[in-house]
Amino acid sequence: MNVQEYMQNLGKSARAASRQIAAATSGTKNNALLAIANALNETRDFLIAENEKDLQAGREKGLDEAMIDRLALTSQGIDKMIEGLTQVAALPDPCGAITDLNYMPSGIQVGKMRVPLGVIGIIYESRPNVTIDAASLCLKSGNATILRGGSEAIHSNRAVAQCIKSGLQKAGLPETAVQVVETTDRAAVGELITMAEYVDVIVPRGGKSLIERISKDAKVTVIKHLDGICHVYIDDQADLDKAYDIAINAKTHRYGVCNAMETLLINQAVAADILPRLAKGYGEKGVELRGCPETRAIIAAEVATDEDWATEYLAPILSIKVVPDMDAAMDHIAKYSSAHSESIVTQDYSKGRRFITEVDSSSVMINASTRFADGFEYGLGAEIGISTDKIHARGPVGLEGLTSQKWVVLGDGHIRQ
């Protein structure tokens, strides 16, 4: 069987399964999620061993440390996957909820019912936990899904897929409700994003080049974000101890993630007070600093170019710019941000309100690290991705973002006059 035939078969199976999973009760779907969690727990040694195969292959191929970090699956990581599954199981099921039900002058009732999207194709790189996050959210929201992970995580994803199949079987749901693409042939991606007769939505998670390619070539609706150029602005009314903790955490908690800060903006009134302290903290963690002339007059840093302001490093590199006021900070964000996540550190309530009102990103924060821009941290149980689009879903995409609405009309023999 060639790749096209293989993907067509997956699509047909997913479309058939989507009708069954859409009709499944909340209890059945929750039973499947908990059964998958049990399977992960019971096979954690096998999962870690299979992941080690991917890690070893990655090291031999020369993958960088950020990629290896995303690829690694530890016992603690499995615990988080299990916690995510149980949290999703505990969340309200959005499917079937009817809202805005009102009587019309004609006597009919009109409202909106939340329904699954159908079949969701998810393309992602590196992280094995995405396989569980995606499966759990699609399953709970009543969607069938086709998962195409990166070739660098093939052993890990196959092992996780076994746990998913086991959980679906125990709950009496079709195995084909969640299918992991077994081939590493890149042609599979091209097929998946053009199978409009079988796939309703594509969600790409990965590097900018991957997402640009999918957005360009897809014949299926895409929910996406291209990159995460996230900012923290330290205001002249900031608590500098809070500002230090937030700025250090936003950059150094993890480097290879889309919600890590890439540019730090500092009000000129407090730059001399906080920059030396921050430079010391970043230096201890091995972060390379690149700064504007005002920054370099206060601390040692490489010259920041215009390209730096527009770069998602995903690495221990940080650009720093000193700005005269909050308006200048917001102007910089408007010009260079990827509309992912931005934060202001300030004790001035009015400035905080202005910032979250005027900054046009999918997540905007006051006195908090950008690392919180995450479906798990937002109480979604997990996320299928971050959307920087403005239509349908924006920010972390959880259960509701994987559903749509249809109009429902309730009558009792009503006819239009």
Side-chain angles (χ1 to χ4, degrees):
M1 185 184 302
N2 62 34
V3 172
Q4 183 180 29
E5 291 172 332
Y6 171 68
M7 294 304 296
Q8 289 284 318
N9 284 343
L10 289 187
K12 291 175 184 176
S13 298
R15 179 61 77 199
S18 69
R19 297 184 64 185
Q20 297 179 60
I21 194 70
T25 65
S26 297
T28 299
K29 292 185 287 188
N30 290 338
N31 287 341
L33 292 169
L34 297 177
I36 294 169
N38 287 335
L40 289 173
N41 187 49
E42 291 171 358
T43 61
R44 68 173 61 222
D45 290 341
F46 172 67
L47 292 169
I48 292 171
E50 291 299 293
N51 179 248
E52 183 56 38
K53 294 179 183 178
D54 291 327
L55 291 174
Q56 184 59 37
R59 295 186 190 104
E60 291 172 359
K61 290 178 182 177
L63 296 182
D64 60 37
E65 285 305 311
M67 182 70 82
I68 292 294
D69 176 61
R70 292 196 293 272
L71 182 57
L73 182 60
T74 63
S75 186
Q76 183 181 16
I78 294 171
D79 288 338
K80 279 196 164 187
M81 290 159 68
I82 292 171
E83 184 180 359
L85 284 160
T86 56
Q87 191 173 359
V88 171
L91 291 172
D93 187 345
C95 296
I98 298 177
T99 57
D100 303 322
L101 191 63
N102 293 299
Y103 277 101
M104 297 295 106
S106 63
I108 62 171
Q109 285 181 284
V110 178
K112 296 177 181 178
M113 176 184 285
R114 194 154 287 282
V115 295
L117 295 175
V119 177
I120 301 175
I122 303 173
I123 301 162
Y124 53 102
E125 298 172 342
S126 305
R127 299 180 194 169
N129 66 292
V130 174
T131 305
I132 285 295
D133 291 349
S136 64
L137 289 172
C138 289
L139 178 58
K140 183 64 181 269
S141 58
N143 294 286
T145 184
I146 300 173
L147 305 175
R148 205 288 184 177
S151 59
E152 68 279 359
I154 189 64
H155 294 95
S156 305
N157 289 333
R158 284 172 176 166
V160 171
Q162 291 182 30
C163 297
I164 295 171
K165 285 184 178 181
S166 172
L168 290 168
Q169 286 176 339
K170 289 180 179 178
L173 292 172
E175 290 181 20
T176 49
V178 180
Q179 298 177 92
V180 173
V181 177
E182 294 282 340
T183 179
T184 59
D185 192 323
R186 292 187 177 184
V189 173
E191 290 298 324
L192 182 59
I193 65 176
T194 56
M195 298 195 307
E197 68 271 38
Y198 301 124
V199 180
D200 297 291
V201 176
I202 292 290
V203 180
R205 294 185 56 162
K208 186 175 182 178
S209 60
L210 169 72
I211 297 172
E212 284 180 333
R213 176 215 161 181
I214 290 170
S215 301
K216 176 184 176 183
D217 297 340
K219 295 181 180 178
V220 181
T221 300
V222 179
I223 298 175
K224 65 184 183 302
H225 83 270
L226 292 176
D227 46 15
I229 303 174
C230 303
H231 299 77
V232 172
Y233 166 60
I234 299 176
D235 185 52
D236 59 342
Q237 299 298 312
D239 178 316
L240 295 188
D241 288 334
K242 291 178 184 177
Y244 175 85
D245 290 340
I246 290 169
I248 292 292
N249 179 264
K251 182 64 210 177
T252 68
H253 184 252
R254 285 185 71 183
Y255 297 115
V257 288
C258 62
N259 57 13
M261 173 182 64
E262 303 292 20
T263 296
L264 175 63
L265 305 170
I266 305 178
N267 189 290
Q268 62 185 8
V270 296
D273 294 325
I274 195 170
L275 262 176
R277 184 180 171 195
L278 282 170
K280 184 175 184 293
Y282 288 131
E284 290 170 352
K285 294 180 179 292
V287 177
E288 176 188 331
L289 302 180
R290 301 178 184 179
C292 66
E294 291 83 356
T295 298
R296 298 178 70 241
I298 300 171
I299 61 169
E302 298 296 319
V303 176
T305 66
D306 198 60
E307 183 180 355
D308 284 307
W309 308 129
T311 297
E312 180 186 29
Y313 297 116
L314 298 174
I317 304 171
L318 176 66
S319 298
I320 304 175
K321 185 174 184 178
V322 175
V323 294
D325 51 34
M326 188 177 76
D327 285 305
M330 293 194 296
D331 287 343
H332 180 95
I333 291 169
K335 183 175 181 179
Y336 294 104
S337 171
S338 61
H340 191 296
S341 301
E342 330 296 344
S343 180
I344 182 174
V345 186
T346 186
Q347 296 300 105
D348 187 316
Y349 175 81
S350 296
K351 285 185 176 180
R353 290 284 299 183
R354 266 199 71 203
F355 190 85
I356 62 173
T357 300
E358 296 181 28
V359 172
D360 189 21
S361 292
S362 66
S363 287
V364 189
M365 308 174 180
I366 302 174
N367 296 328
S369 169
T370 57
R371 286 286 290 124
F372 282 110
D374 174 84
F376 184 82
E377 294 293 342
Y378 284 8
L380 305 181
E383 69 182 37
I384 205 120
I386 303 282
S387 171
T388 53
D389 291 331
K390 294 188 179 183
I391 296 177
H392 180 68
R394 196 177 192 194
V397 180
L399 292 177
E400 189 169 299
L402 296 179
T403 61
S404 182
Q405 288 181 308
K406 64 182 178 185
W407 291 93
V408 293
V409 177
L410 309 181
D412 185 22
H414 288 78
I415 59 173
R416 185 169 178 176
Q417 302 298 327

